[in-house]
């Protein structure tokens, strides 16, 4: 999926084209083009500074037990979880072990988990959160931006604002960064816009 917006601002037009191509390739290879909706890069080797501002696409919400399993509660308190998507098995088991203890979680086969729960523990069981798709997104995003960033730009600061439409920024330089990067970051967000 291509980005809705990708622009590179650079005082050297050829350098800007190279960075735009590099960003497209890296984002595609690392699967981030399906996550990032808008990205504006500013590269000025004379300062030197690299600024990336962007917005992520709307992320799916928390994955609950009921989203990938059928839960059957028997009269004797036995709860059987029939797993429909095996990729959530490991995080499900970890959540159940953390919440109820390993000794109470039985796994007779790879698609079934059986537990004995009290009536109080059964309430809302199917709605227990298992995986947050946003976990790791920030780390992956910063990793990809470090790849796109010019070699040697080791002084950096970044911020991910998931509550603000998934806005993020990444600023890097060879030298000390300006004390107040907010004006330059704000300016680049304004240039990029929000797509509406």
């Amino acid at each position: 999926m291509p980005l809705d917006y990708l622009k590179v601002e650079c005082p050297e037009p050829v350098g800007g084209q190279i960075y735009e191509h590099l960003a497209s390739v890296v984002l595609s290879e690392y699967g981030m083009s399906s996550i990032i909706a808008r990205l504006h890069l500013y590269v000025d080797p004379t300062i030197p500074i690299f600024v990336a501002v962007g917005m992520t696409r709307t992320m799916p919400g928390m994955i609950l037990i009921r989203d990938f399993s059928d839960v059957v509660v028997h009269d004797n308190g036995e709860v059987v979880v029939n797993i429909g998507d095996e990729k959530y098995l490991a995080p499900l088991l970890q959540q159940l072990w953390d919440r109820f203890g390993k000794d109470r979680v039985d796994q007779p086969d790879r698609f079934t988990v059986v537990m004995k729960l009290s009536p109080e523990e059964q309430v809302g069981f199917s709605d227990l959160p298992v995986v947050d798709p946003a976990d790791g997104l920030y780390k992956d995003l910063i990793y990809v931006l470090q790849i796109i960033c010019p070699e040697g730009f080791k002084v950096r600061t970044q911020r991910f604002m998931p509550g603000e439409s998934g806005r993020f920024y990444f600023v890097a330089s060879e030298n000390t960064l300006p004390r107040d990067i907010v004006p330059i970051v704000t300016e680049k967000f304004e240039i990029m816009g929000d797509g509406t």
Side-chain angles (χ1 to χ4, degrees):
M1 171 182 290
L3 273 67
D4 299 338
Y5 172 96
L6 173 61
K7 179 162 171 61
V8 176
E9 195 181 343
C10 182
E12 300 172 4
V14 174
Q17 291 173 347
I18 290 170
Y19 264 96
E20 188 166 333
H21 177 72
L22 172 69
S24 291
V25 169
V26 170
L27 292 170
S28 178
E29 284 182 1
Y30 284 88
M32 295 301 283
S33 55
S34 63
I35 294 169
I36 298 173
R38 305 178 68 73
L39 181 64
H40 185 94
L41 303 176
Y42 172 70
V43 184
D44 190 339
T46 61
I47 295 178
I49 195 162
F50 173 84
V51 178
V53 299
M55 296 171 64
T56 59
R57 298 185 192 284
T58 303
M59 296 297 293
M62 184 73 71
I63 306 295
L64 310 176
I65 291 176
R66 65 180 156 85
D67 294 330
F68 62 91
S69 302
D70 289 322
V71 177
V72 179
V73 179
H74 297 282
D75 292 337
N76 64 357
E78 185 179 74
V79 176
V80 179
V81 181
N82 296 305
I83 299 162
D85 191 340
E86 191 177 6
K87 74 180 175 187
Y88 297 114
L89 176 60
L92 170 66
L93 288 173
Q94 189 62 56
Q95 290 293 335
L96 296 178
W97 293 338
D98 290 348
R99 188 176 188 106
F100 302 106
K102 282 187 176 185
D103 58 324
R104 296 181 63 198
V105 180
D106 184 33
Q107 186 185 6
D109 61 62
R110 68 183 218 205
F111 294 105
T112 310
V113 174
V114 180
M115 303 176 62
K116 192 90 157 178
L117 299 178
S118 69
E120 295 79 24
E121 293 171 322
Q122 293 171 19
V123 174
F125 180 82
S126 294
D127 294 324
L128 291 177
V130 176
V131 175
D132 184 351
D135 280 353
L137 171 65
Y138 177 65
K139 181 182 71 160
D140 295 343
L141 183 60
I142 296 307
Y143 178 75
V144 166
L145 292 173
Q146 288 173 348
I147 293 170
I148 296 170
C149 182
E151 188 75 28
F153 280 40
K154 302 294 184 198
V155 179
R156 55 186 170 250
T157 186
Q158 65 266 338
R159 183 162 179 221
F160 183 58
M161 302 160 272
E164 300 175 36
S165 303
R167 292 164 46 114
F168 62 87
Y169 68 79
F170 177 92
V171 181
S173 179
E174 290 179 331
N175 308 324
T176 306
L177 289 170
R179 286 182 188 223
D180 188 9
I181 61 162
V182 172
I184 193 165
V185 168
T186 302
E187 175 191 333
K188 301 312 171 194
F189 271 121
E190 288 171 1
I191 291 170
M192 179 184 68
D194 63 5
T196 58

